[in-house]
Amino acid sequence: MRKTWTLILLFATTAASAHIPLTSAIVGDAFDEIAAAEAAVAAAESEQEKAAAVYALGVAAGKLTDLLNQEIALHGTEQQELIDAAVAHAGERGITITWSDAHERYFYAGDAFRRHVALAGDSLEAANSRFHLIETGFYLGDPGDRAGLTQRIDMEREYLARFPTLGNAGRVAMFLAVDYRDLWRLCVAAGDADCASGTAARLRAHLEWTIEQFSNERTSGLARSFLERFDAERAALAPPSG
């Protein structure tokens, strides 16, 4: 069930166009960009300069990850040896890139983005960094981990409170809906009626807000459909009347 919604939430898809297979030169260029960002971090003389350089490092690591995903999407495992070497070399530089069998793609763990958030507060770059961390946590998180779900919910709620109109807000809103739903399921399974009823109420209120907030976007339709599915699932668990 979660996987179905995960697929729906992948708004951005790789363009179907001619693509040059991954080469050592292309990977080398990506690592040159990473090295330049690393040098800028080391040379930074102020917190502002350091924050900008750390963000650039996160972006460069993300670009490398995108290259690997594009190669897998378009050419499968033809260049797997090169991909594996790139992932290993990135790891040696403190850049963690992991493969997810469930989603059939690589994810950058986002250490640089995490550092940037700590340095930059509420800047646009910090919002982008927060989104990367939220997105990665959502896709790689365990829906059966109550503590992890609660932590992700807090991050998603904070993002929407700070950046309700940014371009990624709709995606975060749907991540939050799925995480609320998964937390509700855990509460039901544990027989925790107070948690289940409270989480259900928060989920419904959030989806109603999402439908209104993104009324002119695809997100509104997704939220409406999600609410219908949730109501049906909840009704199926209710004891028969009479």
Side-chain angles (χ1 to χ4, degrees):
M1 193 69 176
R2 184 183 178 97
K3 186 173 182 180
T4 300
W5 278 103
T6 297
L7 293 174
I8 291 173
L9 289 167
L10 288 172
F11 295 167
T13 57
T14 304
S17 59
H19 173 248
I20 299 172
L22 196 66
T23 65
S24 297
I26 293 173
V27 172
D29 288 343
F31 276 109
D32 285 346
E33 188 172 348
I34 288 171
E38 290 171 334
V41 172
E45 296 181 353
S46 68
E47 287 292 289
Q48 185 176 9
E49 288 180 356
K50 186 174 182 180
V54 168
Y55 180 72
L57 177 57
V59 170
K63 286 182 179 178
L64 172 61
T65 307
D66 289 342
L67 277 175
L68 304 184
N69 284 329
Q70 187 177 46
E71 175 61 28
I72 290 292
L74 296 177
H75 301 115
T77 59
E78 291 178 12
Q79 300 295 328
Q80 192 63 51
E81 185 175 351
L82 178 58
I83 290 171
D84 290 343
V87 170
H89 184 52
E92 292 167 358
R93 304 181 81 125
I95 297 170
T96 303
I97 299 173
T98 58
W99 171 258
S100 168
D101 286 332
H103 305 295
E104 298 182 342
R105 57 185 282 204
Y106 287 95
F107 288 87
Y108 166 49
D111 290 339
F113 290 132
R114 194 171 289 105
R115 290 168 60 195
H116 178 79
V117 168
L119 291 167
D122 288 339
S123 67
L124 177 59
E125 290 79 10
N128 292 339
S129 297
R130 289 175 188 273
F131 174 74
H132 177 93
L133 296 172
I134 287 169
E135 181 183 45
T136 302
F138 175 80
Y139 286 121
L140 298 186
D142 178 2
D145 176 9
R146 186 163 173 170
L149 277 172
T150 300
Q151 183 178 35
R152 290 201 301 277
I153 286 169
D154 287 344
M155 290 179 64
E156 291 153 357
R157 283 169 54 87
E158 181 183 12
Y159 182 97
L160 292 173
R162 291 189 180 200
F163 314 107
T165 61
L166 288 187
N168 287 317
R171 296 185 70 181
V172 175
M174 292 308 300
F175 294 160
L176 178 55
V178 174
D179 283 338
Y180 267 142
R181 191 275 317 279
D182 288 346
L183 178 59
W184 170 79
R185 286 177 174 173
L186 291 182
C187 296
V188 170
D192 189 339
D194 289 341
C195 173
S197 61
T199 303
R202 286 187 285 274
L203 172 54
R204 171 170 279 280
H206 169 65
L207 286 170
E208 290 173 349
W209 173 84
T210 301
I211 290 167
E212 181 177 354
Q213 176 75 10
F214 304 98
S215 58
N216 295 322
E217 301 177 27
R218 184 184 177 195
T219 303
S220 182
L222 288 172
R224 196 180 303 278
S225 177
F226 195 104
L227 181 57
E228 292 172 357
R229 288 171 178 262
F230 175 68
D231 283 344
E233 182 177 354
R234 195 178 182 196
L237 293 175
S241 58

